[in-house]
PDB file of all heavy atoms in Angstrom:
ATOM      1  N   PHE J  10     -25.286  -4.008  20.914  1.00 90.00           N
ATOM      2  CA  PHE J  10     -26.308  -2.994  20.716  1.00 90.00           C
ATOM      3  C   PHE J  10     -25.716  -1.447  20.775  1.00 90.00           C
ATOM      4  O   PHE J  10     -26.063  -0.659  19.980  1.00 90.00           O
ATOM      5  CB  PHE J  10     -27.430  -3.143  21.761  1.00 90.00           C
ATOM      6  CG  PHE J  10     -28.189  -4.362  21.506  1.00 90.00           C
ATOM      7  CD1 PHE J  10     -27.927  -5.520  22.306  1.00 90.00           C
ATOM      8  CD2 PHE J  10     -29.228  -4.389  20.544  1.00 90.00           C
ATOM      9  CE1 PHE J  10     -28.770  -6.621  22.101  1.00 90.00           C
ATOM     10  CE2 PHE J  10     -30.100  -5.507  20.480  1.00 90.00           C
ATOM     11  CZ  PHE J  10     -29.700  -6.585  21.168  1.00 90.00           C
ATOM     12  N   ASP J  11     -24.675  -1.353  21.810  1.00 91.00           N
ATOM     13  CA  ASP J  11     -24.038  -0.033  21.788  1.00 91.00           C
ATOM     14  C   ASP J  11     -23.117   0.217  20.599  1.00 91.00           C
ATOM     15  O   ASP J  11     -23.172   1.286  20.118  1.00 91.00           O
ATOM     16  CB  ASP J  11     -23.185  -0.138  23.057  1.00 91.00           C
ATOM     17  CG  ASP J  11     -24.001   0.011  24.336  1.00 91.00           C
ATOM     18  OD1 ASP J  11     -25.228   0.196  24.283  1.00 91.00           O
ATOM     19  OD2 ASP J  11     -23.410  -0.369  25.372  1.00 91.00           O
ATOM     20  N   VAL J  12     -22.444  -0.903  20.125  1.00 91.00           N
ATOM     21  CA  VAL J  12     -21.560  -0.692  18.954  1.00 91.00           C
ATOM     22  C   VAL J  12     -22.462  -0.126  17.699  1.00 91.00           C
ATOM     23  O   VAL J  12     -22.107   0.676  16.959  1.00 91.00           O
ATOM     24  CB  VAL J  12     -21.020  -2.014  18.498  1.00 91.00           C
ATOM     25  CG1 VAL J  12     -20.222  -1.902  17.263  1.00 91.00           C
ATOM     26  CG2 VAL J  12     -20.068  -2.442  19.681  1.00 91.00           C
ATOM     27  N   LEU J  13     -23.636  -0.698  17.613  1.00 93.00           N
ATOM     28  CA  LEU J  13     -24.455  -0.377  16.441  1.00 93.00           C
ATOM     29  C   LEU J  13     -25.436   0.875  16.938  1.00 93.00           C
ATOM     30  O   LEU J  13     -26.243   1.329  16.023  1.00 93.00           O
ATOM     31  CB  LEU J  13     -25.285  -1.500  16.040  1.00 93.00           C
ATOM     32  CG  LEU J  13     -24.509  -2.766  15.517  1.00 93.00           C
ATOM     33  CD1 LEU J  13     -25.354  -3.877  15.194  1.00 93.00           C
ATOM     34  CD2 LEU J  13     -23.720  -2.267  14.330  1.00 93.00           C
ATOM     35  N   GLY J  14     -25.345   1.438  18.147  1.00 92.00           N
ATOM     36  CA  GLY J  14     -26.143   2.577  18.557  1.00 92.00           C
ATOM     37  C   GLY J  14     -27.526   2.186  18.562  1.00 92.00           C
ATOM     38  O   GLY J  14     -28.476   2.994  18.178  1.00 92.00           O
ATOM     39  N   LEU J  15     -27.957   1.051  19.213  1.00 92.00           N
ATOM     40  CA  LEU J  15     -29.268   0.531  19.130  1.00 92.00           C
ATOM     41  C   LEU J  15     -29.743   0.253  20.574  1.00 92.00           C
ATOM     42  O   LEU J  15     -28.721  -0.006  21.578  1.00 92.00           O
ATOM     43  CB  LEU J  15     -29.535  -0.644  18.370  1.00 92.00           C
ATOM     44  CG  LEU J  15     -29.302  -0.435  16.835  1.00 92.00           C
ATOM     45  CD1 LEU J  15     -29.029  -1.797  16.247  1.00 92.00           C
ATOM     46  CD2 LEU J  15     -30.483   0.189  16.212  1.00 92.00           C
ATOM     47  N   THR J  16     -31.029   0.159  20.851  1.00 89.00           N
ATOM     48  CA  THR J  16     -31.513  -0.407  22.102  1.00 89.00           C
ATOM     49  C   THR J  16     -31.710  -1.848  22.009  1.00 89.00           C
ATOM     50  O   THR J  16     -31.848  -2.373  20.930  1.00 89.00           O
ATOM     51  CB  THR J  16     -32.867   0.331  22.529  1.00 89.00           C
ATOM     52  OG1 THR J  16     -33.764  -0.016  21.617  1.00 89.00           O
ATOM     53  CG2 THR J  16     -32.594   1.829  22.609  1.00 89.00           C
ATOM     54  N   ALA J  17     -31.842  -2.564  23.087  1.00 84.00           N
ATOM     55  CA  ALA J  17     -32.046  -3.981  23.136  1.00 84.00           C
ATOM     56  C   ALA J  17     -33.341  -4.408  22.462  1.00 84.00           C
ATOM     57  O   ALA J  17     -33.555  -5.590  22.125  1.00 84.00           O
ATOM     58  CB  ALA J  17     -32.023  -4.550  24.520  1.00 84.00           C
ATOM     59  N   GLU J  18     -34.227  -3.447  22.214  1.00 86.00           N
ATOM     60  CA  GLU J  18     -35.485  -3.814  21.631  1.00 86.00           C
ATOM     61  C   GLU J  18     -35.477  -3.833  20.038  1.00 86.00           C
ATOM     62  O   GLU J  18     -36.472  -4.066  19.446  1.00 86.00           O
ATOM     63  CB  GLU J  18     -36.600  -2.836  22.138  1.00 86.00           C
ATOM     64  CG  GLU J  18     -37.016  -3.014  23.549  1.00 86.00           C
ATOM     65  CD  GLU J  18     -36.094  -2.632  24.532  1.00 86.00           C
ATOM     66  OE1 GLU J  18     -35.462  -1.424  24.304  1.00 86.00           O
ATOM     67  OE2 GLU J  18     -35.808  -3.165  25.531  1.00 86.00           O
ATOM     68  N   ALA J  19     -34.361  -3.403  19.445  1.00 89.00           N
ATOM     69  CA  ALA J  19     -34.240  -3.375  18.027  1.00 89.00           C
ATOM     70  C   ALA J  19     -34.512  -4.592  17.298  1.00 89.00           C
ATOM     71  O   ALA J  19     -34.239  -5.721  17.768  1.00 89.00           O
ATOM     72  CB  ALA J  19     -32.820  -2.738  17.638  1.00 89.00           C
ATOM     73  N   ASN J  20     -35.280  -4.535  16.157  1.00 90.00           N
ATOM     74  CA  ASN J  20     -35.610  -5.625  15.401  1.00 90.00           C
ATOM     75  C   ASN J  20     -34.613  -5.879  14.185  1.00 90.00           C
ATOM     76  O   ASN J  20     -33.650  -5.082  14.030  1.00 90.00           O
ATOM     77  CB  ASN J  20     -37.078  -5.557  14.814  1.00 90.00           C
ATOM     78  CG  ASN J  20     -37.114  -4.368  13.853  1.00 90.00           C
ATOM     79  OD1 ASN J  20     -36.254  -3.928  13.217  1.00 90.00           O
ATOM     80  ND2 ASN J  20     -38.402  -3.863  13.718  1.00 90.00           N
ATOM     81  N   ASP J  21     -34.808  -6.920  13.521  1.00 90.00           N
ATOM     82  CA  ASP J  21     -33.868  -7.348  12.492  1.00 90.00           C
ATOM     83  C   ASP J  21     -33.657  -6.215  11.504  1.00 90.00           C
ATOM     84  O   ASP J  21     -32.403  -5.948  11.165  1.00 90.00           O
ATOM     85  CB  ASP J  21     -34.425  -8.477  11.565  1.00 90.00           C
ATOM     86  CG  ASP J  21     -34.447  -9.883  12.465  1.00 90.00           C
ATOM     87  OD1 ASP J  21     -34.108  -9.829  13.602  1.00 90.00           O
ATOM     88  OD2 ASP J  21     -34.721 -10.922  11.811  1.00 90.00           O
ATOM     89  N   ALA J  22     -34.587  -5.609  10.997  1.00 91.00           N
ATOM     90  CA  ALA J  22     -34.500  -4.590   9.975  1.00 91.00           C
ATOM     91  C   ALA J  22     -33.627  -3.354  10.535  1.00 91.00           C
ATOM     92  O   ALA J  22     -32.796  -2.835   9.874  1.00 91.00           O
ATOM     93  CB  ALA J  22     -35.860  -4.112   9.475  1.00 91.00           C
ATOM     94  N   GLU J  23     -34.017  -3.006  11.775  1.00 93.00           N
ATOM     95  CA  GLU J  23     -33.290  -1.805  12.425  1.00 93.00           C
ATOM     96  C   GLU J  23     -31.796  -2.098  12.547  1.00 93.00           C
ATOM     97  O   GLU J  23     -30.874  -1.326  12.286  1.00 93.00           O
ATOM     98  CB  GLU J  23     -33.877  -1.440  13.629  1.00 93.00           C
ATOM     99  CG  GLU J  23     -35.279  -0.851  13.580  1.00 93.00           C
ATOM    100  CD  GLU J  23     -36.099  -0.871  14.926  1.00 93.00           C
ATOM    101  OE1 GLU J  23     -35.646  -1.488  15.703  1.00 93.00           O
ATOM    102  OE2 GLU J  23     -37.156  -0.115  14.766  1.00 93.00           O
ATOM    103  N   ILE J  24     -31.495  -3.362  12.952  1.00 94.00           N
ATOM    104  CA  ILE J  24     -30.158  -3.805  13.209  1.00 94.00           C
ATOM    105  C   ILE J  24     -29.382  -3.784  11.917  1.00 94.00           C
ATOM    106  O   ILE J  24     -28.269  -3.271  11.777  1.00 94.00           O
ATOM    107  CB  ILE J  24     -30.022  -5.227  13.860  1.00 94.00           C
ATOM    108  CG1 ILE J  24     -30.757  -5.070  15.200  1.00 94.00           C
ATOM    109  CG2 ILE J  24     -28.650  -5.703  13.828  1.00 94.00           C
ATOM    110  CD1 ILE J  24     -30.990  -6.360  16.050  1.00 94.00           C
ATOM    111  N   ARG J  25     -30.033  -4.316  10.828  1.00 94.00           N
ATOM    112  CA  ARG J  25     -29.353  -4.398   9.525  1.00 94.00           C
ATOM    113  C   ARG J  25     -29.058  -2.993   8.994  1.00 94.00           C
ATOM    114  O   ARG J  25     -28.008  -2.680   8.453  1.00 94.00           O
ATOM    115  CB  ARG J  25     -30.162  -5.154   8.547  1.00 94.00           C
ATOM    116  CG  ARG J  25     -29.727  -5.097   7.116  1.00 94.00           C
ATOM    117  CD  ARG J  25     -29.160  -6.459   6.558  1.00 94.00           C
ATOM    118  NE  ARG J  25     -28.685  -6.300   5.290  1.00 94.00           N
ATOM    119  CZ  ARG J  25     -27.499  -6.661   4.961  1.00 94.00           C
ATOM    120  NH1 ARG J  25     -26.806  -7.434   5.703  1.00 94.00           N
ATOM    121  NH2 ARG J  25     -27.003  -6.506   3.735  1.00 94.00           N
ATOM    122  N   LYS J  26     -30.025  -2.082   9.162  1.00 93.00           N
ATOM    123  CA  LYS J  26     -29.835  -0.662   8.754  1.00 93.00           C
ATOM    124  C   LYS J  26     -28.688  -0.089   9.433  1.00 93.00           C
ATOM    125  O   LYS J  26     -27.882   0.643   8.881  1.00 93.00           O
ATOM    126  CB  LYS J  26     -31.151   0.084   9.019  1.00 93.00           C
ATOM    127  CG  LYS J  26     -31.405   1.296   8.185  1.00 93.00           C
ATOM    128  CD  LYS J  26     -32.034   0.927   7.004  1.00 93.00           C
ATOM    129  CE  LYS J  26     -31.952   2.040   5.922  1.00 93.00           C
ATOM    130  NZ  LYS J  26     -32.181   1.556   4.570  1.00 93.00           N
ATOM    131  N   ALA J  27     -28.626  -0.221  10.788  1.00 95.00           N
ATOM    132  CA  ALA J  27     -27.587   0.433  11.610  1.00 95.00           C
ATOM    133  C   ALA J  27     -26.224  -0.089  11.185  1.00 95.00           C
ATOM    134  O   ALA J  27     -25.256   0.610  11.110  1.00 95.00           O
ATOM    135  CB  ALA J  27     -27.842   0.145  13.076  1.00 95.00           C
ATOM    136  N   TYR J  28     -26.267  -1.456  10.870  1.00 95.00           N
ATOM    137  CA  TYR J  28     -25.016  -2.115  10.464  1.00 95.00           C
ATOM    138  C   TYR J  28     -24.486  -1.415   9.194  1.00 95.00           C
ATOM    139  O   TYR J  28     -23.256  -1.128   9.088  1.00 95.00           O
ATOM    140  CB  TYR J  28     -25.247  -3.516  10.327  1.00 95.00           C
ATOM    141  CG  TYR J  28     -24.178  -4.343   9.439  1.00 95.00           C
ATOM    142  CD1 TYR J  28     -22.951  -4.601   9.810  1.00 95.00           C
ATOM    143  CD2 TYR J  28     -24.661  -4.769   8.231  1.00 95.00           C
ATOM    144  CE1 TYR J  28     -22.052  -5.220   9.009  1.00 95.00           C
ATOM    145  CE2 TYR J  28     -23.809  -5.414   7.439  1.00 95.00           C
ATOM    146  CZ  TYR J  28     -22.485  -5.703   7.761  1.00 95.00           C
ATOM    147  OH  TYR J  28     -21.626  -6.373   6.957  1.00 95.00           O
ATOM    148  N   LEU J  29     -25.326  -1.277   8.233  1.00 93.00           N
ATOM    149  CA  LEU J  29     -25.026  -0.792   6.891  1.00 93.00           C
ATOM    150  C   LEU J  29     -24.509   0.613   6.949  1.00 93.00           C
ATOM    151  O   LEU J  29     -23.507   1.065   6.337  1.00 93.00           O
ATOM    152  CB  LEU J  29     -26.190  -0.812   5.883  1.00 93.00           C
ATOM    153  CG  LEU J  29     -26.595  -2.259   5.452  1.00 93.00           C
ATOM    154  CD1 LEU J  29     -27.720  -2.184   4.578  1.00 93.00           C
ATOM    155  CD2 LEU J  29     -25.464  -2.930   4.689  1.00 93.00           C
ATOM    156  N   VAL J  30     -25.191   1.458   7.824  1.00 93.00           N
ATOM    157  CA  VAL J  30     -24.744   2.868   7.890  1.00 93.00           C
ATOM    158  C   VAL J  30     -23.273   2.857   8.464  1.00 93.00           C
ATOM    159  O   VAL J  30     -22.448   3.679   8.060  1.00 93.00           O
ATOM    160  CB  VAL J  30     -25.705   3.625   8.944  1.00 93.00           C
ATOM    161  CG1 VAL J  30     -25.053   4.913   9.323  1.00 93.00           C
ATOM    162  CG2 VAL J  30     -27.083   3.792   8.250  1.00 93.00           C
ATOM    163  N   ARG J  31     -23.020   2.070   9.432  1.00 94.00           N
ATOM    164  CA  ARG J  31     -21.721   2.063   9.988  1.00 94.00           C
ATOM    165  C   ARG J  31     -20.621   1.542   9.250  1.00 94.00           C
ATOM    166  O   ARG J  31     -19.519   1.923   9.165  1.00 94.00           O
ATOM    167  CB  ARG J  31     -21.689   1.288  11.388  1.00 94.00           C
ATOM    168  CG  ARG J  31     -22.075   2.333  12.461  1.00 94.00           C
ATOM    169  CD  ARG J  31     -22.638   1.642  13.772  1.00 94.00           C
ATOM    170  NE  ARG J  31     -23.031   2.552  14.662  1.00 94.00           N
ATOM    171  CZ  ARG J  31     -24.335   3.293  14.485  1.00 94.00           C
ATOM    172  NH1 ARG J  31     -25.061   2.952  13.495  1.00 94.00           N
ATOM    173  NH2 ARG J  31     -24.664   4.113  15.383  1.00 94.00           N
ATOM    174  N   VAL J  32     -21.103   0.446   8.344  1.00 93.00           N
ATOM    175  CA  VAL J  32     -20.061  -0.094   7.461  1.00 93.00           C
ATOM    176  C   VAL J  32     -19.543   0.871   6.328  1.00 93.00           C
ATOM    177  O   VAL J  32     -18.485   1.002   5.970  1.00 93.00           O
ATOM    178  CB  VAL J  32     -20.607  -1.416   6.720  1.00 93.00           C
ATOM    179  CG1 VAL J  32     -19.762  -1.729   5.532  1.00 93.00           C
ATOM    180  CG2 VAL J  32     -20.577  -2.515   7.729  1.00 93.00           C
ATOM    181  N   LYS J  33     -20.623   1.795   5.912  1.00 89.00           N
ATOM    182  CA  LYS J  33     -20.278   2.751   4.938  1.00 89.00           C
ATOM    183  C   LYS J  33     -19.265   3.742   5.653  1.00 89.00           C
ATOM    184  O   LYS J  33     -18.467   4.223   4.963  1.00 89.00           O
ATOM    185  CB  LYS J  33     -21.573   3.379   4.377  1.00 89.00           C
ATOM    186  CG  LYS J  33     -21.863   2.991   3.135  1.00 89.00           C
ATOM    187  CD  LYS J  33     -22.969   3.868   2.474  1.00 89.00           C
ATOM    188  CE  LYS J  33     -24.245   3.716   3.246  1.00 89.00           C
ATOM    189  NZ  LYS J  33     -25.290   4.502   2.652  1.00 89.00           N
ATOM    190  N   GLU J  34     -19.490   3.983   6.907  1.00 89.00           N
ATOM    191  CA  GLU J  34     -18.536   5.060   7.508  1.00 89.00           C
ATOM    192  C   GLU J  34     -17.200   4.374   7.841  1.00 89.00           C
ATOM    193  O   GLU J  34     -16.127   5.053   7.639  1.00 89.00           O
ATOM    194  CB  GLU J  34     -19.233   5.439   8.729  1.00 89.00           C
ATOM    195  CG  GLU J  34     -18.606   6.763   9.357  1.00 89.00           C
ATOM    196  CD  GLU J  34     -19.263   7.206  10.636  1.00 89.00           C
ATOM    197  OE1 GLU J  34     -20.330   6.727  10.837  1.00 89.00           O
ATOM    198  OE2 GLU J  34     -18.713   7.933  11.317  1.00 89.00           O
ATOM    199  N   PHE J  35     -17.194   3.049   8.199  1.00 90.00           N
ATOM    200  CA  PHE J  35     -15.992   2.489   8.555  1.00 90.00           C
ATOM    201  C   PHE J  35     -15.873   1.164   7.626  1.00 90.00           C
ATOM    202  O   PHE J  35     -16.178   0.084   8.126  1.00 90.00           O
ATOM    203  CB  PHE J  35     -16.087   1.980  10.066  1.00 90.00           C
ATOM    204  CG  PHE J  35     -16.250   3.224  11.063  1.00 90.00           C
ATOM    205  CD1 PHE J  35     -17.572   3.403  11.609  1.00 90.00           C
ATOM    206  CD2 PHE J  35     -15.233   4.108  11.270  1.00 90.00           C
ATOM    207  CE1 PHE J  35     -17.712   4.559  12.447  1.00 90.00           C
ATOM    208  CE2 PHE J  35     -15.465   5.117  12.121  1.00 90.00           C
ATOM    209  CZ  PHE J  35     -16.521   5.413  12.732  1.00 90.00           C
ATOM    210  N   SER J  36     -15.372   1.359   6.430  1.00 88.00           N
ATOM    211  CA  SER J  36     -15.290   0.277   5.512  1.00 88.00           C
ATOM    212  C   SER J  36     -14.138  -0.674   5.834  1.00 88.00           C
ATOM    213  O   SER J  36     -13.199  -0.231   6.579  1.00 88.00           O
ATOM    214  CB  SER J  36     -15.064   0.896   4.066  1.00 88.00           C
ATOM    215  OG  SER J  36     -13.779   1.373   4.003  1.00 88.00           O
ATOM    216  N   PRO J  37     -14.281  -1.873   5.430  1.00 90.00           N
ATOM    217  CA  PRO J  37     -13.139  -2.888   5.699  1.00 90.00           C
ATOM    218  C   PRO J  37     -11.836  -2.306   5.210  1.00 90.00           C
ATOM    219  O   PRO J  37     -10.749  -2.551   5.741  1.00 90.00           O
ATOM    220  CB  PRO J  37     -13.597  -4.080   4.899  1.00 90.00           C
ATOM    221  CG  PRO J  37     -15.109  -3.981   4.698  1.00 90.00           C
ATOM    222  CD  PRO J  37     -15.342  -2.563   4.608  1.00 90.00           C
ATOM    223  N   GLU J  38     -11.864  -1.603   4.059  1.00 86.00           N
ATOM    224  CA  GLU J  38     -10.655  -1.078   3.483  1.00 86.00           C
ATOM    225  C   GLU J  38      -9.932  -0.103   4.304  1.00 86.00           C
ATOM    226  O   GLU J  38      -8.742  -0.158   4.540  1.00 86.00           O
ATOM    227  CB  GLU J  38     -11.057  -0.522   2.100  1.00 86.00           C
ATOM    228  CG  GLU J  38      -9.884  -0.320   1.103  1.00 86.00           C
ATOM    229  CD  GLU J  38      -9.099  -1.539   0.728  1.00 86.00           C
ATOM    230  OE1 GLU J  38      -9.648  -2.457   0.110  1.00 86.00           O
ATOM    231  OE2 GLU J  38      -7.975  -1.530   1.199  1.00 86.00           O
ATOM    232  N   GLN J  39     -10.762   0.939   4.754  1.00 84.00           N
ATOM    233  CA  GLN J  39     -10.103   2.048   5.396  1.00 84.00           C
ATOM    234  C   GLN J  39      -9.964   1.868   7.028  1.00 84.00           C
ATOM    235  O   GLN J  39      -9.193   2.395   7.639  1.00 84.00           O
ATOM    236  CB  GLN J  39     -10.938   3.466   5.113  1.00 84.00           C
ATOM    237  CG  GLN J  39     -10.311   4.156   4.009  1.00 84.00           C
ATOM    238  CD  GLN J  39     -10.948   3.942   2.687  1.00 84.00           C
ATOM    239  OE1 GLN J  39     -12.067   3.406   2.676  1.00 84.00           O
ATOM    240  NE2 GLN J  39     -10.300   4.368   1.619  1.00 84.00           N
ATOM    241  N   HIS J  40     -10.974   1.071   7.577  1.00 89.00           N
ATOM    242  CA  HIS J  40     -11.015   0.888   9.003  1.00 89.00           C
ATOM    243  C   HIS J  40     -11.164  -0.472   9.409  1.00 89.00           C
ATOM    244  O   HIS J  40     -12.267  -0.847   9.967  1.00 89.00           O
ATOM    245  CB  HIS J  40     -12.040   1.830   9.600  1.00 89.00           C
ATOM    246  CG  HIS J  40     -12.076   3.260   9.274  1.00 89.00           C
ATOM    247  ND1 HIS J  40     -11.412   4.251   9.876  1.00 89.00           N
ATOM    248  CD2 HIS J  40     -12.721   3.911   8.200  1.00 89.00           C
ATOM    249  CE1 HIS J  40     -11.611   5.323   9.311  1.00 89.00           C
ATOM    250  NE2 HIS J  40     -12.396   5.254   8.319  1.00 89.00           N
ATOM    251  N   PRO J  41     -10.199  -1.358   8.987  1.00 90.00           N
ATOM    252  CA  PRO J  41     -10.355  -2.786   9.278  1.00 90.00           C
ATOM    253  C   PRO J  41     -10.688  -3.142  10.775  1.00 90.00           C
ATOM    254  O   PRO J  41     -11.585  -3.951  11.077  1.00 90.00           O
ATOM    255  CB  PRO J  41      -9.088  -3.398   8.879  1.00 90.00           C
ATOM    256  CG  PRO J  41      -8.077  -2.333   8.732  1.00 90.00           C
ATOM    257  CD  PRO J  41      -8.926  -1.054   8.471  1.00 90.00           C
ATOM    258  N   GLU J  42     -10.148  -2.391  11.674  1.00 91.00           N
ATOM    259  CA  GLU J  42     -10.418  -2.840  13.055  1.00 91.00           C
ATOM    260  C   GLU J  42     -11.861  -2.464  13.520  1.00 91.00           C
ATOM    261  O   GLU J  42     -12.554  -3.297  14.223  1.00 91.00           O
ATOM    262  CB  GLU J  42      -9.398  -2.291  14.084  1.00 91.00           C
ATOM    263  CG  GLU J  42      -7.873  -2.908  13.876  1.00 91.00           C
ATOM    264  CD  GLU J  42      -8.006  -4.451  13.969  1.00 91.00           C
ATOM    265  OE1 GLU J  42      -8.673  -4.991  14.815  1.00 91.00           O
ATOM    266  OE2 GLU J  42      -7.371  -5.078  13.137  1.00 91.00           O
TER     267      GLU J  42
END
Side-chain angles (χ1 to χ4, degrees):
Chain J
F10 292 97
D11 291 345
V12 171
L13 298 176
L15 295 164
T16 63
E18 287 75 42
N20 64 27
D21 286 11
E23 287 162 353
I24 290 167
R25 170 111 188 132
K26 202 87 196 164
Y28 158 74
L29 290 174
V30 167
R31 275 160 185 76
V32 166
K33 254 190 295 182
E34 195 177 344
F35 303 102
S36 73
E38 192 64 64
Q39 264 96 16
H40 306 273
E42 289 310 313

